[in-house]
Amino acid sequence: MQYDNIILSSPADGVGAVQLNRPKVLNALNTKTMSEILHAMQAYDADPNIRCMILHGDERAFAAGADIREMSDATAVQMMVRNPFSAWEDMRGIKKPIIAAVSGFALGGGCELAMLCDMIVASETAQFGQPEIKLGLIPGAGGTQRMTKAIGKARTMDIVLTGRNFTAQEAFDLGLVSRIVPAAEWLEGAIKMAKEIASMPAIAVREGKEAILKSFDLSIEMGLEFERKNFYLLLTTDDAHEGMKAFMEKRMPVWKGQ
Ligand code: CAA
C-alpha cells in the first residue's frame, strides 16, 4: 500500500518503525493518518520477521493532537458516522509490542496515541499534555481512561482539567513513561529498547504483553488465572524448553520463536 502520511523503516533486525510524516502540522492526527498507522502496524503484526514496533514523529513533535482543522467543522452526527476513533480501537488488537518514541510535543491525541502504545521512550525535552479543555473539549481517544489507569485519578484530574503541559521527567515520575533518554538520542533510545525486546523469545513476549494488558480489564482472580494458563501454555513451546535447557547447560539460548 502507498502511504501519504507515514514512512516505514526497519532500523534494526526484527524491528519495524512507523514515522508520522505531517511535519507542517506537527504530525496532527487526521483520519487518514490513523488508518495508515493501523494498516502498517497490522502488516508488521502479520510479518514473522518483525518482533517489535516503534511509532515515532520527528524531533519537534511526536504529534500535537487530533487534527483540529478536520474536527472543527464536523457535527457530532458526522463524527459518529465518520467514526474517526475506530482505528484507535483496532490498534488494541495488535499483538506485538509497540514503543512510542517521543520527542517534542505529545499533546491531546498525540499523548493518547503514545499511551495507546505499550511503552513510551521519551526525550528529556519531550512535552506531554491533554490540552483539549482549552478547546472546549475533553480527550476523545482514551485520555481520561488510559491516563487514569496509568497514573491515578488525582494527577489525571489536574492534567485534563487544567490542560497544562507536563515534562518527560514528570511523566516518568508518574509512571507514564518507561525510559527517558538524552534529547540527541530520542530515537536511538527507543531502537535500543526495541532491539532488546526483539531479541527475546517472540511467543513469550506476545503472551507477556497480552497478560499485562488483561490486568486493565479483569479482576485480580481472573487476571491471575489468565496469567497462569498462559504460563502453562508457554511451557509447551520450543523456546521455553530451550531457555531452561540453556540455563542448566550454562550457555546462551537460541530462540526459534515457536
Ligand atoms: N491540528 C491541526 N493543526 C495543528 C495542530 C493540531 N492539533 N497542532 C498544530 N497544528 C498546526 C498549526 O495550526 C500550525 O499550522 P500553520 O503553520 O498552517 O498555522 C502548525 O501546526 C505549527 O503549529 P504552531 O505554529 O502553533 O507551532 P508552535 O510551536 O507555535 O506551537 C503547539 C506548538 C503548542 C503544539 C501548538 O501548535 C498547539 O497548541 N497545537 C494544538 C494542540 C492541541 O490543542 N491538541 C489537542 C487537539 S484536540 C484532540 O487531540 C482531541 C482528542 O483527544 C482526540
Side-chain angles (χ1 to χ4, degrees):
M1 179 169 160
Q2 187 70 30
Y3 297 117
D4 296 322
N5 297 339
I6 60 171
I7 298 171
L8 304 190
S9 66
S10 183
D13 184 37
V15 179
V18 177
Q19 177 181 359
L20 296 160
N21 187 35
R22 299 185 78 210
K24 287 189 183 145
V25 288
L26 306 184
N27 296 325
L29 300 162
N30 60 6
T31 310
K32 181 173 167 56
T33 304
M34 284 308 302
S35 77
E36 288 188 1
I37 294 170
L38 175 67
H39 187 276
M41 289 199 162
Q42 285 175 333
Y44 281 149
D45 216 25
D47 181 346
N49 296 314
I50 298 297
R51 295 181 295 283
C52 188
M53 303 175 209
I54 297 175
L55 178 61
H56 65 92
D58 54 30
E59 198 180 328
R60 189 167 173 216
F62 176 74
D67 191 319
I68 297 171
R69 272 190 191 85
E70 186 183 67
M71 280 191 312
S72 61
D73 58 354
T75 66
V77 172
Q78 282 166 341
M79 285 290 269
M80 268 189 275
V81 172
R82 195 190 295 164
N83 194 11
F85 298 121
S86 66
W88 302 68
E89 281 307 305
D90 293 345
M91 257 181 78
R92 295 176 67 210
I94 302 282
K95 300 289 183 196
K96 292 174 188 171
I98 309 169
I99 300 170
V102 176
S103 172
F105 299 111
L107 302 179
C111 187
E112 291 168 298
L113 183 59
M115 290 191 290
L116 182 55
C117 297
D118 301 307
M119 291 148 280
I120 301 175
V121 173
S123 157
E124 59 194 350
T125 55
Q127 289 186 57
F128 296 83
Q130 297 290 162
E132 291 89 344
I133 201 88
K134 295 176 182 169
L135 301 170
L137 297 168
I138 62 169
T144 63
Q145 304 304 299
R146 279 194 193 93
M147 188 177 285
T148 307
K149 287 202 160 67
I151 69 173
K153 177 185 120 182
R155 297 296 187 102
T156 305
M157 287 280 185
D158 172 357
I159 287 163
V160 170
L161 301 188
T162 68
R164 72 178 176 85
N165 286 3
F166 55 104
T167 62
Q169 187 61 52
E170 186 176 351
F172 180 77
D173 293 343
L174 289 168
L176 202 65
V177 157
S178 305
R179 297 183 187 179
I180 299 185
V181 292
E185 293 162 29
W186 67 274
L187 189 52
E188 284 69 26
I191 295 170
K192 184 171 171 236
M193 188 188 212
K195 278 165 75 176
E196 277 175 62
I197 294 170
S199 72
M200 293 296 149
I203 302 178
V205 167
R206 178 190 165 113
E207 295 305 306
K209 166 172 170 164
E210 191 179 27
I212 293 165
L213 291 181
K214 280 284 179 214
S215 73
F216 290 108
D217 303 327
L218 300 180
S219 67
I220 184 75
E221 289 82 8
M222 291 179 77
L224 288 169
E225 193 170 327
F226 184 88
E227 178 192 78
R228 229 170 3 249
K229 293 252 167 74
N230 282 292
F231 178 84
Y232 297 146
L233 182 71
L234 284 168
L235 286 173
T236 67
T237 63
D238 291 350
D239 282 345
H241 292 148
E242 166 66 2
M244 291 185 279
K245 193 160 173 271
F247 174 81
M248 288 182 292
E249 293 171 0
K250 299 190 186 303
R251 62 174 174 82
M252 292 299 288
V254 180
W255 307 122
K256 287 191 203 159
Q258 55 191 29

